[in-house]
C-alpha cells in the first residue's frame, strides 16, 4: 500500500463528491485502490452509509497542519470530552495490543477459562483457532467474546456464522442478548425475504454485513459459490466443524472457500476429528496451512497455537464453574422385562437372524450387519422394527423374504399393550412428576423416527396430557417448526412438557433452561452419541442436577442380545469416562460416532463382548497419537490472569458516556426529543431512523415486539443484574425468549450510533480548544501506523507541550488526568486567542512526527516480533519437507505444495508488516486560562 492509501484512519473526515464523510474502515481493494466505508456527515448525506474506492472516486483527506481550532463553549467542556472519548472508542485497538479490552462488559459470568480462547486467538498471526472444548463448556460464549474483541479492534465489521439449522436462532439470540452483536438470520424464510427485497442476481452478502446461515443452505456451490468468492469477511465462524472434514464433500468445499476469504476463522466442535490423521490435518490447514508438513505424522505441539480443548474436570474449569453447573446425577438403567410377544420376536431374531439362517448364502459386506439393524430397530420399538422389515421386504427374495415375512407377522401381532418399554416409560415419567398441572419437563431421545412419532401419539393420553404438551423433533421436521419447538421447550411459560427427539438435537442445542431430566428410550451404540445427548441438559448454567435414565429391555431367551448386552454397558461406560476423564473419546480412542458403532457391531459379529471390543480400542488409543489430540490442549494448570488491554478513557463508565452524549446531542432535552424516560438504570426511548437502520439485522418478530405505533421504542440498560433478570423472565414467558430490555454492551449498535453522532458535531477537520490546569499549550495528537492491509499496528496518543522551543511528548491519558480533564471542569466561557495556537500547529505536528520517526523501531516491535517468529516457523516448515522418504513423484508434489504455501504465507506476512509513514491527527488543544496574544518568536540563530 502506498502512503496515500494509508492515510484514511477510522474516525477521520474525508470529502468525496463535494460531501463530507466520516471514515468507518479503510482496506486495500486492488485494483481499485482503497475501499473506504463511511457514513455521511454533511447535510445532504447525513447518516447515509456509503462505500468509496480511491481508484474510482477522488477522496480528499486533510493535512493535520491545516486543522481548524475552535473554542469549546459548552458547559464543563462537554463537547470536547465527548469528542475525545468518541475518537478513543472509534479508533481500533492496534494489532500489537493483545490484551482483552471488553472481557467484563457483557452479560455473562466473568470466568477466566472462557477468556482463554480469546487470549489464544489474539496471540496468533491471525485469529484462526479450533475451539474443541467438550460438550457444555460454553463455546458459543467463547465465540461471542472473540467476535466482540475483533469488533473493538476494527476487525469484526463483516461477520459470517455458519451453523447447523437447528441452532441458528439459539446462536443468534445468544450473541444479541449477551453481547449485543446483531446477526441477520438467513434461514429459508430469511433467504426468501432477501430475494424479495434485493434486485435479482445481486449478491445477498453485500446487503448484510453480519449474518448467520445454516451450513446446508450455504453449501450449494451452484447457488452461492460465486457470491462467496466475491466477498471478503473479517471473521467467519463455523460451528460443529467436524462436519467439514471429509475432503471432496460440499461442506469441505464450502469451508475452503470461506477460509480463503476471511481474516479470522473460528471453528468449533466438541468432536473435532474422526480419528483419521490426514482428515484432521486438512481441517487444521484451513487455519494455518504451514502448521503440518506431513499430514500422516504430526504431534499436538504442532497445532498448539491453533487448538484449545478442555473438559469439565480441567483444573481451571473445575475451579471456576462452582454452582453455575450442577453436579451430574447418575445414569440409571430402568429394567424392562420383555412381554411374551416381545420374547417371541427376541427368539426369532436370535435363532434365525443372528444365527445366520436368514439367507441361503453367507452374507457379505453390509448385509452381514443387517441382523443387527433389525435388532436395534426392535430394541427401539416394534413400530420401528415393522418399518425396517417393510423397507427390506421390497427387494428381498427366497429364504430372506420368508424370514422377513415371519418377522412382519410377529411384529403386526404385537400391540402397544405388549410394549414393556412403553409401560416403564409411563411409570418413570409419573415418578418424575409429569402429569396434568405439573411443570416438570423431560427430553426423551430415540434413534428411530417411527418410535418418536408413535410415542407422541400414545404417551399423552396415558399421562392425561393434552397434545399441546408434546413436541416431536427429528430430521424431517420443517425448519420453522424446528426452531419453534426448541423455543417452546425453552420457555418456562409454554405448555410443552415432553420433547421427543432424535439425534438431530444431540449437537449444539441447549435444552437445559427448564429441563434436567433426560430419558434414553433407546440407546445408540456409541459412547460419543450418548455423551452428546446427555450434554443437552448437562452443561454450563445448569443449576439443577441432571438426571439420566435409560430403558433397558431384557429377555430370557437364551443367547438373546437384549439391552443388557450393549446398551446398559455403554450407559455405565459413558458415565465412568465422563467423571474420570472428562470425555469419552479420551477413554476409547473413538472420534466418530458411526465409526465407533460400526466397529462394535463387527466385533459382536466376530463373537467379542462389548468389554473386549472397548478394551482393545483403549489399548489402541494409548498407542494412537490422535488420542493425544483429544486430550487437554491449551488447558491452563492454574488460573493465570488473562492479559488486559490498557485503553485510555475520559469517562468513568459507558453509562456516563451515554447520558452525557444524549444531553449534548439533544440540547439537554433528550426526554423531549426522544420521549426518553429514565427508571433507575433503565432507558426507554423512541429510536431515530438512523439508529433503527443499525438494528435491521435483528428478527422482525423482535423488532415488531418493540414497535409503538409507527416508531421503534427501545429499552436498554447498563445494569447487568437487571438485564440478567429480564433475560430470565423472558424464558419464563409463553411467547418469546428474547428479553424486552437489551443489555447495552460497548459493541451495542446504540453505542456505535452515539459515537458517530458525537464525532460529526465538530465541523470539517476541526479540533476543540479547552482550558485546563496546564502551564502552557498542550496539543493532543493521535499517531497511527498501519500495515498494508490498512489495519493499525501501533496507535500512539501523544500530548505535545513546550512549544516552540523545547517540545516534550508525554502519554495523552497522563496529561489529561493531571490537567483535571473531566466532569468536574468549569468552563469560564472567556474568549481564547486562537491565532497563537494555530501558529504553533505546524511545530506540534512536526514534533509528533519526529517523535514517532525516532521511535519507529521501538513502537513497531510489538507487531514485528510475532511476524518474525512465524517466518522462522515457515523456515522449519520448508526445511522439514526436504527430509522425507516418499516416492519421487509424491515427494515432488509435496515440495511444490510446501513451496507454494511458504510463498503465500510470506506474502501475507509482508502485508502484515508495519508500512509507510504514520497518520497524524490533531484532536484537541489544552490551554491555560491565559495565553500570549501573539505567537512566540523563534529563537535567534547565528548568521
Amino acid at each position: 500500500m502506498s502512503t496515500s492509501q494509508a492515510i484514511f484512519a477510522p474516525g477521520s473526515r474525508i470529502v468525496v463528491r463535494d460531501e463530507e464523510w466520516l471514515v468507518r474502515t479503510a482496506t486495500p481493494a486492488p485494483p481499485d485502490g482503497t475501499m473506504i466505508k463511511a457514513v455521511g456527515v454533511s447535510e445532504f448525506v447525513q447518516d447515509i452509509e456509503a462505500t468509496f474506492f480511491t481508484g474510482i472516486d477522488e477522496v480528499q483527506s486533510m493535512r493535520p497542519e491545516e486543522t481548524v481550532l475552535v473554542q469549546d463553549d459548552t458547559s464543563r467542556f462537554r463537547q470536547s470530552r465527548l469528542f475525545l472519548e468518541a475518537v478513543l472508542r472509534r479508533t481500533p485497538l492496534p494489532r500489537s495490543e493483545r490484551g482483552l479490552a471488553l472481557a467484563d462488559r457483557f452479560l455473562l459470568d466473568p470466568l477466566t477459562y472462557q477468556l482463554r480462547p480469546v487470549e489464544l486467538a489474539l496471540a496468533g498471526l491471525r485469529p484462526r483457532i479450533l475451539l474443541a472444548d467438550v460438550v457444555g463448556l460454553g463455546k458459543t460464549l467463547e465465540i461471542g467474546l472473540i467476535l466482540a474483541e475483533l469488533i473493538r479492534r476494527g476487525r469484526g465489521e463483516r461477520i459470517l456464522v455458519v451453523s447447523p439449522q437447528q441452532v441458528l436462532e439459539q446462536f443468534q439470540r445468544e450473541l444479541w442478548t449477551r453481547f449485543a452483536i446483531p446477526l441477520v438470520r438467513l434461514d429459508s424464510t430469511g433467504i426468501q425475504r432477501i430475494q424479495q427485497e434485493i434486485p435479482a442476481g445481486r449478491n445477498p452478502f453485500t446487503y448484510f454485513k453480519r449474518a448467520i446461515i445454516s451450513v446446508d443452505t450455504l453449501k450449494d456451490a451452484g447457488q452461492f459459490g460465486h457470491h462467496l468468492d466475491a466477498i471478503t469477511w473479517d471473521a467467519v465462524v463455523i460451528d460443529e466443524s467436524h462436519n467439514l472434514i471429509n475432503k471432496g464433500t460440499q461442506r469441505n468445499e464450502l469451508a475452503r472457500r470461506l477460509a480463503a476469504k476471511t481474516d479470522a476463522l473460528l471453528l468449533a466442535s466438541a468432536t473435532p476429528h474422526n480419528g483419521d490423521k490426514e482428515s484432521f490435518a486438512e481441517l487444521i490447514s484451513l487455519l494455518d496451512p504451514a502448521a503440518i508438513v506431513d499430514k500422516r505424522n504430526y504431534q499436538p505441539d504442532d497445532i498448539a497455537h491453533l487448538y484449545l480443548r478442555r473438559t469439565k474436570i480441567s483444573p481451571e474449569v473445575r475451579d471456576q464453574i462452582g454452582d453455575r453447573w450442577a453436579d451430574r446425577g447418575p445414569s440409571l438403567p430402568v429394567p424392562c422385562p420383555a412381554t411374551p410377544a416381545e420374547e417371541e420376536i427376541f427368539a426369532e431374531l436370535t435363532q434365525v437372524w443372528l444365527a445366520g439362517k436368514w439367507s441361503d448364502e453367507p452374507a457379505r459386506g453390509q448385509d452381514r450387519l443387517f441382523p443387527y439393524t433389525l435388532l436395534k430397530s426392535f430394541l427401539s420399538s416394534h413400530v420401528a422394527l415393522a418399518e425396517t422389515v417393510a423397507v427390506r421386504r421390497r427387494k428381498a427374495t427366497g429364504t430372506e423374504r420368508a424370514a422377513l415375512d415371519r418377522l412382519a407377522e410377529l411384529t403386526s401381532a404385537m400391540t402397544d399393550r405388549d410394549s414393556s418399554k412403553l409401560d416403564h416409560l409411563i411409570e418413570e415419567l409419573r415418578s418424575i412428576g409429569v402429569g396434568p398441572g405439573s411443570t416438570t419437563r423431560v427430553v426423551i431421545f430415540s434413534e428411530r423416527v417411527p418410535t418418536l412419532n408413535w410415542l407422541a401419539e400414545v404417551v399423552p393420553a396415558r399421562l392425561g396430557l393434552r397434545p399441546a404438551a408434546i413436541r416431536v423433533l427429528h430430521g424431517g421436521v420443517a425448519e420453522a417448526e424446528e426452531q419453534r419447538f426448541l423455543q417452546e421447550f425453552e420457555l418456562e411459560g409454554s405448555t410443552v412438557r415432553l420433547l421427543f427427539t432424535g439425534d438431530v438435537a444431540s449437537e449444539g442445542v441447549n435444552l437445559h433452561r427448564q429441563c434436567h431430566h433426560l430419558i434414553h428410550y433407546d440407546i445408540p451404540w456409541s459412547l460419543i452419541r450418548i455423551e452428546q445427548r446427555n450434554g443437552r441438559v448437562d452443561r454450563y448454567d445448569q443449576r439443577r442436577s441432571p438426571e439420566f435414565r435409560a430403558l433397558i429391555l431384557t429377555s430370557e431367551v437364551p443367547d438373546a442380545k437384549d439391552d443388557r448386552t450393549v446398551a446398559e454397558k455403554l450407559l455405565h461406560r459413558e458415565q465412568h469416562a465422563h467423571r474420570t476423564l472428562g470425555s469419552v473419546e479420551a477413554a476409547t480412542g473413538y472420534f466418530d460416532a458411526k465409526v465407533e458403532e460400526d466397529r462394535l457391531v463387527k466385533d459382536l459379529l466376530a463373537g467379542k463382548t462389548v468389554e473386549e471390543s472397548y478394551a482393545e480400542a483403549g489399548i489402541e488409543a494409548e498407542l494412537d497419537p490422535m488420542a493425544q489430540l483429544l486430550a487437554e490442549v491449551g488447558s491452563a494448570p492454574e488460573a493465570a490472569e488473562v492479559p488486559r488491554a490498557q485503553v485510555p478513557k475520559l469517562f468513568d463508565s459507558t453509562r456516563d458516556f451515554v447520558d452525557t452524549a444524549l444531553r449534548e446531542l439533544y440540547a439537554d432535552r433528550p426526554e423531549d426529543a426522544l420521549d426518553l424516560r429514565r427508571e433507575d438504570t433503565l432507558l426507554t426511548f423512541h429510536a431515530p431512523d438512523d439508529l433503527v437502520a443499525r438494528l435491521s439485522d435483528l428478527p422482525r418478530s423482535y423488532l415488531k415486539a418493540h414497535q409503538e405505533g409507527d416508531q421503534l421504542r427501545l429499552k436498554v440498560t447498563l445494569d447487568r443484574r437487571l438485564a440478567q433478570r429480564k433475560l430470565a423472565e423472558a424464558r419464563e414467558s409463553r411467547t418469546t425468549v428474547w428479553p424486552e430490555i437489551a443489555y447495552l454492551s460497548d459493541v451495542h449498535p446504540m453505542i456505535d450510533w452515539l459515537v458517530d453522532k458525537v464525532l460529526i458535531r465538530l465541523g470539517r477537520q476541526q479540533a476543540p480548544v479547552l482550558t485546563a490546569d496546564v502551564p502552557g499549550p498542550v496539543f493532543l495528537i493521535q499517531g497511527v501506523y498501519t500495515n498494508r492491509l490498512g489495519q493499525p499496528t501501533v496507535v500512539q496518543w501523544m500530548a505535545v507541550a513546550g512549544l516552540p522551543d523545547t517540545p516534550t511528548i508525554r502519554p495523552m491519558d497522563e496529561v489529561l488526568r493531571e490537567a483535571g480533564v473531566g466532569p468536574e471542569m468549569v468552563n469560564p466561557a472567556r474568549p481564547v486567542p486562537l491565532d497563537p495556537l494555530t501558529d504553533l500547529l505546524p511545530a506540534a505536528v512536526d514534533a509528533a512526527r519526529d517523535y514517532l520517526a525516532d521511535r519507529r523501531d521501538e513502537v513497531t516491535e510489538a507487531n514485528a516480533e510475532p511476524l518474525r517468529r512465524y517466518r522462522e516457523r515457515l523456515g522449519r516448515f520448508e526445511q522439514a519437507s526436504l527430509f522425507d522418504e516418499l516416492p519421487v513423484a509424491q515427494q515432488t508434489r509435496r515440495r511444490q505444495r510446501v513451496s507454494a504455501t511458504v510463498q503465500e504465507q510470506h506474502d501475507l506476512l509482508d502485508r502484515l508488516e508495519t508500512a509507510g509513514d504514520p497518520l497524524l491527527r490533531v484532536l484537541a488543544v489544552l490551554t491555560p486560562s491565559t495565553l500570549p496574544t501573539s505567537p512566540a518568536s523563534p529563537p535567534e540563530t547565528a548568521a
Side-chain angles (χ1 to χ4, degrees), residues 1-2 4-10 12 14 23-38 50-55 59 92 95 153-158 231-234 261 263 786-792 911-912:
M1 182 193 301
S2 67
S4 63
Q5 289 175 312
I7 61 177
F8 306 110
S12 62
I14 56 174
V23 175
R24 302 297 300 277
T25 63
T27 55
D32 298 320
T34 298
M35 179 177 68
I36 300 174
K37 291 187 177 294
T51 301
F52 304 109
F53 293 88
T54 57
V59 181
R95 290 182 60 91
R153 285 159 166 75
R155 299 165 65 186
E157 184 72 8
R158 293 190 55 78
I231 292 290
T232 299
W233 302 93
D234 291 315
K261 304 295 289 185
D263 178 36
T786 67
N787 58 28
R788 291 182 174 85
L789 295 176
Q791 300 166 342
R911 295 195 296 273
L912 295 178

Side-chain angles (χ1 to χ4, degrees), residues 453-650:
N453 291 332
W454 167 64
L455 289 173
E457 291 176 6
V458 300
V459 167
R462 294 185 62 170
L463 289 172
L465 296 176
R466 296 181 178 180
I470 307 296
R471 292 291 180 268
V472 184
L473 189 63
H474 51 70
V477 174
E479 294 175 8
E481 292 285 274
E482 189 177 77
Q483 299 292 332
R484 181 169 65 84
F485 292 169
L486 290 171
Q487 185 177 108
E488 288 174 338
F489 193 70
E490 189 175 355
L491 288 169
E492 183 177 344
S494 82
T495 59
V496 177
R497 295 295 175 264
L498 300 180
L499 176 66
F500 294 98
T501 181
D503 288 323
V504 66
S506 69
E507 290 187 355
V509 176
N510 294 337
L511 300 176
H512 67 295
R513 301 296 184 192
Q514 311 296 337
C515 175
H516 66 288
H517 293 286
L518 185 149
I519 295 177
H520 300 277
Y521 193 81
D522 52 52
I523 288 191
W525 286 9
S526 160
L527 296 177
I528 294 172
R529 190 65 74 194
I530 297 172
E531 181 180 67
Q532 288 173 333
R533 284 184 176 185
N534 290 347
R536 299 312 101 214
V537 298
D538 182 22
R539 57 196 304 107
Y540 176 74
D541 211 23
Q542 171 61 272
R543 303 305 174 106
R544 295 170 293 180
S545 179
E547 297 183 20
F548 306 105
R549 292 169 173 81
L551 301 177
I552 305 298
L553 187 61
T554 65
S555 172
E556 297 302 320
V557 172
D559 299 323
K561 295 190 183 301
D562 59 16
D563 275 324
R564 292 172 298 186
T565 307
V566 177
E568 187 172 10
K569 291 180 171 62
L570 295 187
L571 186 73
H572 292 314
R573 276 183 171 272
E574 188 275 340
Q575 177 178 255
H576 178 74
H578 182 86
R579 293 195 172 186
T580 58
L581 297 173
S583 70
V584 298
E585 296 95 337
T588 66
Y590 293 123
F591 317 103
D592 179 275
K594 187 175 186 311
V595 171
E596 178 190 2
E597 181 173 336
D598 286 349
R599 171 165 175 166
L600 176 58
V601 171
K602 289 175 182 176
D603 283 347
L604 292 174
L605 278 170
K608 296 177 183 177
T609 64
V610 170
E611 291 83 353
E612 290 169 340
S613 177
Y614 277 95
E616 290 179 8
I619 293 172
E620 292 176 12
E622 292 177 6
L623 302 175
D624 184 1
M626 286 300 281
Q628 300 175 43
L629 293 171
L630 276 180
E632 294 179 15
V633 175
S635 180
E638 56 186 31
E641 286 298 316
V642 175
R644 302 299 177 97
Q646 298 300 315
V647 183
K649 62 179 181 178
L650 272 76

Side-chain angles (χ1 to χ4, degrees), residues 787-820:
N787 58 28
R788 291 182 174 85
L789 295 176
Q791 300 166 342
T793 59
V794 176
V795 177
Q796 292 280 299
W797 305 96
M798 298 170 284
V800 184
L803 298 169
D805 299 328
T806 55
T808 61
I809 295 182
R810 296 177 57 203
M812 186 179 81
D813 55 331
E814 289 183 10
V815 172
L816 290 173
R817 189 164 51 250
E818 293 173 5

